[in-house]
Amino acid sequence: RIWFSALVDGLKGVFSITPEGVVTRLTPEDAWFDFGSPFGIQEDGTVLSSYCSMEFPTELVAIRPNGTFSSLHTRTSTSSLS
């Protein structure tokens, strides 16, 4: 399989294509986010990518084979420079 991102109806989704030419959309059609190019595939089929919207900046995301996704963003505390 080859994983890639492409624009469809003004939104960027993540897709895969088999050697036989079968294209499958991994991201939900109703997800109003722009997903970046996949940069990693985990053993369970989870695709690692980025996503953003008009409401938040680019974040890392895990897209599971069933089409659900979750942000990989973790908040860290910053120390003062005193």
Side-chain angles (χ1 to χ4, degrees):
R1 287 186 175 252
I2 296 173
W3 287 265
F4 61 96
S5 61
L7 286 170
V8 177
D9 297 326
L11 294 172
K12 198 182 240 186
V14 176
F15 300 82
S16 69
I17 187 168
T18 65
E20 296 79 25
V22 178
V23 176
T24 304
R25 183 177 184 137
L26 280 78
T27 52
E29 290 185 26
D30 62 347
W32 285 79
F33 307 109
D34 282 327
F35 290 85
S37 296
F39 61 84
I41 315 300
Q42 297 180 333
E43 288 183 18
D44 66 353
T46 298
V47 175
L48 303 177
S49 183
S50 62
Y51 76 144
C52 64
S53 76
M54 295 292 283
E55 295 181 0
F56 60 85
T58 301
E59 294 185 6
L60 299 179
V61 65
I63 307 164
R64 290 179 264 319
N66 66 4
T68 61
F69 59 93
S70 60
S71 173
L72 298 178
H73 177 73
T74 57
R75 299 188 187 276
T76 58
S77 61
T78 58
S79 60
S80 66
L81 299 175
S82 55

